[in-house]
Amino acid sequence: MDAPELPPPPPPPAPARRLTRRRLLKLAGGAAALGLGAEVLRVVVRTNEHTVIPGRVYRTAQLKPEQLRELIAEKGVRTVVNLRGVCTDTAWYLGECRTTHAANVNQEDITFSAKRFPAPGEVRRLVEVLDHTAYPIVFHCQRGADRTGLASTVAVLLHTDADLATARRQLWPRYGHVAVGRTAVLDAFFDYYEAWLARRGEPHAPERFRQWVNTDYCPGPYRAELTLASGTSFPTGRGVRVAVRARNTSIEPWRFHTGRGGIRLCHTVTAADGTRMYRSYSGHFARVVAPGEAVEFACGVPPLPPGTYQFHADLIDGEPIELLDTAFVQYGSEPLAVPLTIS
């Protein structure tokens, strides 16, 4: 009888894969992508919560009332700084007010925009809050990226020994802020401060930032001195022209051009009962007005019934649509308001 056939021997074990440089780079890249994805998820989808100064300052996106209650309890928050302004006709604002009231913590409302230079008065108010409020505090805007990044940078400048470059990391993409398009004005705000320091040959210090905010900060070209350059009493039955003189008291030139958009003078005539009688724009010409120079506008008004009206004028920048233009008064510049008499 033949001997039984033996099974074939098992194959030799496969050699261990070597961790080559390329494979290590792939693994590291995958881990980084996972970490980046988690961070993007936290910034874009979740609360965008981060620590600015450990134990003292935190930052988030707009939280739901239950999320805010949890954060107040977890961090011992004593002040909520809302950077979206007072919005009494919105559910998020009323919910936040009720939450802070129930938790017996402070709520400070400051009005910033993600797409405009911060108004000097609002920046001074932020500094006042940071100097006198109860800590810990939490900043928030809608996404926790742009306005919150601005306020967080200011907090680091005032209440740590960090230099300006380090403080400006609060306006980084990891928090959702990108210095492209209209949101780049928030970075320009700190560029102005950096240029001011360079002209003086001084490094950043908290007291220097306070000085700049209180006496030297100007929001780009958005500051003017408006004066009347004609009379304001006219006969009835015909259109009139009111002359307004605007002097550039800002740190940048004004650029006027033909066509839509750009800097222009908006003038409005209002009746005694508040009814708007007329609104128009002047300044559709090609001209550059440097700081310290002035330009004069002829503001046409159609025939009006006899009476006393309010003539209001202010420079604006942007599209000639009320919701898209930016009035200089929003940056703290004084508009012109005088009575207009038709008799």
Side-chain angles (χ1 to χ4, degrees):
M1 180 180 292
D2 294 334
E5 186 175 347
L6 296 177
R17 295 183 65 182
R18 293 178 58 194
L19 287 176
T20 63
R21 177 182 176 86
R22 175 179 293 183
R23 181 165 175 75
L24 284 172
L25 288 174
K26 285 184 177 180
L27 290 172
L34 286 174
L36 178 61
E39 189 67 14
V40 169
L41 184 66
R42 175 163 68 153
V43 170
V44 176
V45 179
R46 302 180 66 186
T47 61
N48 202 7
E49 180 187 328
H50 297 273
T51 297
V52 180
I53 303 175
R56 289 183 60 79
V57 182
Y58 303 93
R59 57 183 292 173
T60 73
Q62 179 68 55
L63 300 179
K64 298 177 181 177
E66 59 272 19
Q67 293 172 322
L68 182 56
R69 283 194 295 270
E70 292 175 4
L71 182 67
I72 290 171
E74 177 188 349
K75 304 296 186 182
V77 169
R78 299 302 305 152
T79 302
V80 175
V81 182
N82 158 44
L83 302 168
R84 302 177 69 182
V86 176
C87 303
T88 54
D89 58 346
T90 59
W92 70 262
Y93 182 78
L94 296 176
E96 184 164 305
C97 291
R98 295 186 186 104
T99 302
T100 54
H101 177 74
N104 194 30
V105 301
N106 303 316
Q107 178 175 328
E108 300 288 352
D109 300 317
I110 296 173
T111 304
F112 283 159
S113 168
K115 299 176 181 179
R116 296 171 181 161
F117 285 107
E122 293 300 296
V123 181
R124 290 192 290 268
R125 171 151 168 69
L126 173 62
V127 172
E128 180 183 6
V129 168
L130 289 171
D131 284 347
H132 300 291
T133 197
Y135 285 80
I137 70 173
V138 59
F139 294 122
H140 83 81
C141 54
Q142 183 174 5
R143 296 192 308 116
D146 305 308
R147 290 168 284 185
T148 297
L150 172 74
S152 299
T153 302
V154 172
V156 173
L157 289 174
L158 291 179
H159 293 285
T160 75
D161 58 359
D163 60 16
L164 180 56
T166 301
R168 294 185 68 163
R169 293 175 186 171
Q170 295 295 325
L171 277 168
W172 269 16
R174 69 161 299 193
Y175 303 112
H177 172 76
V178 181
V180 175
R182 295 182 65 184
T183 58
V185 298
L186 304 185
D187 301 86
F189 170 78
F190 294 105
D191 290 342
Y192 288 148
Y193 174 52
E194 187 170 3
W196 181 80
L197 290 172
R199 288 193 299 270
R200 297 164 61 95
E202 298 174 337
H204 159 71
E207 63 273 13
R208 293 192 183 108
F209 183 76
R210 287 188 179 87
Q211 178 185 347
W212 178 71
V213 166
N214 288 328
T215 63
D216 290 87
Y217 165 55
C218 177
Y222 303 113
R223 183 175 290 169
E225 179 185 84
L226 302 181
T227 55
L228 196 64
S230 69
T232 57
S233 296
F234 301 95
T236 188
R238 63 182 184 181
V240 302
R241 289 184 178 273
V242 180
V244 176
R245 185 174 185 271
R247 188 170 71 89
N248 186 348
T249 57
S250 77
I251 59 174
E252 292 187 1
W254 296 339
R255 301 185 186 278
F256 296 88
H257 57 80
T258 59
R260 296 170 61 88
I263 294 178
R264 301 173 312 288
L265 185 82
C266 175
H267 66 276
T268 306
V269 178
T270 307
D273 63 359
T275 301
R276 180 191 293 176
M277 305 298 292
Y278 186 70
R279 179 186 179 98
S280 189
Y281 301 87
S282 306
H284 297 280
F285 45 70
R287 182 169 175 179
V288 176
V289 180
E293 295 181 350
V295 60
E296 192 166 301
F297 302 91
C299 303
V301 179
L304 295 171
T308 300
Y309 302 86
Q310 184 77 4
F311 178 87
H312 180 280
D314 194 12
L315 288 167
I316 65 170
D317 187 15
E319 291 297 320
I321 302 173
E322 290 185 45
L323 295 179
L324 297 180
D325 59 31
T326 300
F328 278 35
V329 69
Q330 294 174 275
Y331 297 104
S333 185
E334 287 293 329
L336 177 67
V338 293
L340 182 68
T341 303
I342 306 295
S343 59

